[in-house]
Amino acid sequence: MTLKPITYLSIGAAYKSLRQNIEVQPQAEHISVLESYGRVLSKDVISDVNIPMYDSSHMDGFAVLANDIKHASDSGPITLKIVRNVGLGKVPSDSLQSGQACRISTGGYLPHGANTVVPVEYTHKSKDNVEILASLPKGSFVSPLGKDVRRDSLLLNRGNILRGQDVALLAMVRITRVPVFRKPRVAIIPTGDELTDNLNEIKSGKILNTNSHIISRLVQEGGGVSLDLGVTPDNINKVRKKIRFALEKNDMILTTAGSSVGEYDVVEESINSLGRPGVLAHGVKLDRGRVAGVGALKGKPVIILPGPIQGAVNAFIAFAQPLLQYLSGLPEFNGLRIAGILTEKWEARKKFKNFTKIVHVNAWLSKEGNVKATPITGETALMTVLSKANGYLLLPEKTTTIEAGEKVYVNVLPGLSYTSGHSASFLRRGYL
C-alpha cells in the first residue's frame, strides 16, 4: 500500500504527456459504400467518371436539333417525325437527323446530334409526329456531360464525415468500396465493490453501474465502438486482469471509479503493475474531475475517470474525447460551439479558481432570437446536473467569474447534448 501526495497537473500538460507516450494511430479500412454513412474518409476521393455520362435531359419531352425549331410558335408549329423513345439508362447509339425527334424522359441521354429538349407542354403529339409549339435556343433543358461531376475532379476530402448525400454521390460515380478510418475500439472498466450491473441487486443496497453506460454512449456517439467489461471489484489482481485483457484488442481504455488522490488507489496500482510508463498524471487541474488521471501501457492510452458522474464526464471531455476524435481521423479539438449569453453570474469555486473549469449549462433560443445559457451547478455526484444540461462551457484557468449578460460559447457534444437519432429535435428547438 502506498500513499500519494496531492499534486495537480494542468490539463494541457497532462494531455501533452499522454500524447507523447502513446503509439496508437488512426487506422484505415475499406468498406461497402452502402455501409459508409457516418464514417470518416481516410483519403481524398477522385471521380473516375463524368456525371452525367452523356448530355442528358432534365425534362420530359422531345430531343431535337435546335436549328429545326428556330421558327416554331403556337401559330406556326414545326412538325417533326418521331423516330424512337429514349429509355432511361440506355446509352445512345443512333444519331438524330434533321427533321426528327426522340421521345425522352427526365434523366435520359440525348441521342447523338440532338442538342435541345422541348418539354411536353410545348408540343402536340400525333401518332408518328410531334408538333413543336415554341422556339428554344440550343442547349435548352439539357444537362451537359459532366455538369454535376467532372472526371478527375475532387469529390470529397479526407476527413469528411459521410452524410447520406455523400454516400449517394459516391455510389453515383460507381464507387463500391470506400476508404474510411476504422472506428476506435474503447474498453470501459467500471470498478467498485459497491457497484452492480444487476437491477435486482440494487434492492439489497448495491449501486447500479450507470456511469459506464453513460460513458459508453458518449464513445458510440463520438464515432467509437465501446466494450463494457462489466463491474470489477476493488481488487488489484482483478482490475489488472481486465486491463490486460482490454489491451489486446482495444485502442483506448477507460476506467471508472476506484480512483482517488492522496490515498491508496486500486486503479493506479493496477496500471503501474502492468508496465511502463504506467500512470503519467493522477490529479489534474479540472473542476470538477480533479482526481482524474492518464496513463499509457503498450503504447495505448489509459484514462482514469473519477467515480462521481460529473467528474467522469468532464474527464471524458478533457482527455478521452480528443483522443477519440484523433483516432477517428478528425481534428482533436474541433467541436461544435454556439455563441450565447449567460443568464446568471457564475463564479469559480474558491479552492479551484486556477483550475480549468467545465460548467454545464442549459441553453435555449430566446424570443429575441438569441441563445441564452443558464449554469447548472450542484455536487459532483448529482446526475440531475447533467440531466438538466444540454451543453457546457470550457473555461481556462484564468477565468474565475462570468457576469450575467456576458457572451459565452456553449459546447455541444453528441450523447450529452442530444442523441444522434434525435439531433433534429435539438435543431428544431432553436439551439443551432
Side-chain angles (χ1 to χ4, degrees):
M1 180 181 295
T2 59
L3 293 177
K4 305 182 300 298
I6 301 177
T7 56
Y8 298 106
L9 194 63
S10 73
I11 297 299
Y15 188 77
K16 181 179 180 181
S17 177
L18 178 61
R19 287 291 275 112
Q20 290 173 338
N21 283 277
I22 62 174
E23 299 171 3
V24 287
Q25 297 180 356
Q27 299 294 317
E29 62 181 355
H30 281 74
I31 63 173
S32 167
V33 66
L34 299 180
E35 297 175 354
S36 64
Y37 175 77
R39 301 296 294 273
V40 181
L41 281 178
S42 61
K43 294 181 180 179
D44 292 346
V45 178
I46 308 295
S47 176
D48 289 333
V49 300
N50 291 306
I51 301 294
M53 298 176 65
Y54 304 91
D55 291 349
S56 304
S57 172
H58 60 83
M59 293 289 285
D60 290 341
F62 291 86
V64 302
L65 278 67
N67 196 52
D68 282 349
I69 64 168
K70 62 183 179 181
H71 299 303
S73 67
D74 273 334
S75 57
I78 299 294
T79 301
L80 302 175
K81 181 177 178 58
I82 301 173
V83 292
R84 64 185 177 89
N85 290 337
V86 178
L88 289 175
K90 298 293 181 63
V91 177
S93 57
D94 299 335
S95 294
L96 192 69
Q97 305 299 319
S98 179
Q100 297 178 338
C102 277
R103 185 74 169 87
I104 195 167
S105 300
T106 302
Y109 298 138
L110 270 67
H112 296 298
N115 54 25
T116 300
V117 173
V118 182
V120 290
E121 52 265 42
Y122 298 117
T123 68
H124 179 72
K125 180 180 177 295
S126 60
K127 183 178 179 181
D128 297 316
N129 298 309
V130 60
E131 291 184 338
I132 307 299
L133 308 176
S135 173
L136 298 174
K138 179 180 178 180
S140 295
F141 303 105
V142 174
S143 295
L145 173 150
K147 182 179 181 180
D148 197 2
V149 176
R150 297 295 298 184
R151 179 182 293 151
D152 297 326
S153 65
L154 175 64
L155 284 181
L156 296 167
N157 292 101
R158 179 184 188 273
N160 270 45
I161 301 174
L162 295 175
R163 304 162 298 171
Q165 60 266 41
D166 301 323
V167 174
L169 178 62
L170 293 171
M172 190 172 70
V173 298
R174 302 181 176 183
I175 291 176
T176 59
R177 304 286 292 177
V178 184
V180 297
F181 287 105
R182 179 173 59 78
K183 288 187 175 185
R185 293 187 289 262
V186 181
I188 301 171
I189 306 175
T191 66
D193 292 330
E194 77 284 6
L195 298 179
T196 180
D197 286 317
N198 188 338
L199 284 169
N200 295 323
E201 291 185 359
I202 62 176
K203 296 178 181 178
S204 60
K206 288 281 189 177
I207 298 173
L208 188 65
N209 168 36
T210 55
N211 286 18
S212 66
H213 294 285
I214 294 173
I215 299 302
S216 181
R217 296 298 177 267
L218 292 178
V219 169
Q220 293 167 8
E221 296 280 12
V225 177
S226 65
L227 173 65
D228 190 337
L229 295 180
V231 171
T232 309
D234 290 323
N235 178 288
I236 287 181
N237 290 330
K238 292 183 178 181
V239 174
R240 181 169 51 210
K241 183 178 180 181
K242 287 268 182 89
I243 295 174
R244 185 184 291 115
F245 174 80
L247 285 169
E248 293 303 316
K249 295 184 179 181
N250 293 278
D251 303 297
M252 187 191 320
I253 299 171
L254 308 178
T255 67
T256 69
S259 168
S260 61
V261 174
E263 57 187 71
Y264 181 63
D265 187 288
V266 171
V267 171
E268 179 168 347
E269 292 285 334
S270 301
I271 294 171
N272 286 335
S273 70
L274 288 170
R276 294 188 176 187
V279 174
L280 300 164
H282 196 182
V284 293
K285 290 186 174 181
L286 176 64
D287 188 34
R288 302 176 182 260
R290 60 191 174 86
V291 301
V294 297
L297 290 170
K298 293 187 176 181
K300 298 180 179 181
V302 183
I303 314 296
I304 303 170
L305 304 180
I309 186 56
Q310 290 176 56
V313 168
N314 291 354
F316 180 91
I317 291 170
F319 299 113
Q321 179 63 16
L323 281 179
L324 195 59
Q325 291 274 110
Y326 165 68
L327 292 173
S328 298
L330 298 169
E332 291 171 72
F333 304 100
N334 185 31
L336 177 62
R337 297 198 309 165
I338 307 167
I341 304 297
L342 202 67
T343 61
E344 300 174 6
K345 181 178 180 179
W346 170 85
E347 290 185 281
R349 295 197 293 170
K350 292 182 179 179
K351 190 175 180 181
F352 308 109
K353 277 191 172 184
N354 65 333
F355 281 30
T356 296
K357 279 78 63 175
I358 291 180
V359 181
H360 294 276
V361 299
N362 177 256
W364 76 96
L365 190 66
S366 69
K367 293 180 179 179
E368 297 77 27
N370 299 316
V371 173
K372 299 291 184 71
T374 300
I376 308 296
T377 58
E379 293 301 318
T380 315
L382 296 182
M383 187 73 74
T384 51
V385 169
L386 298 179
S387 182
K388 293 175 182 177
N390 57 14
Y392 63 91
L393 311 181
L394 183 59
L395 305 176
E397 295 178 3
K398 64 181 180 181
T399 301
T400 59
T401 304
I402 304 176
E403 298 291 340
E406 281 193 51
K407 183 178 181 179
V408 294
Y409 289 96
V410 180
N411 293 271
V412 176
L413 183 68
L416 188 67
S417 303
Y418 57 86
T419 66
S420 58
H422 295 85
S423 56
S425 65
F426 188 83
L427 301 175
R428 285 197 297 270
R429 291 171 67 184
Y431 298 121
L432 301 179

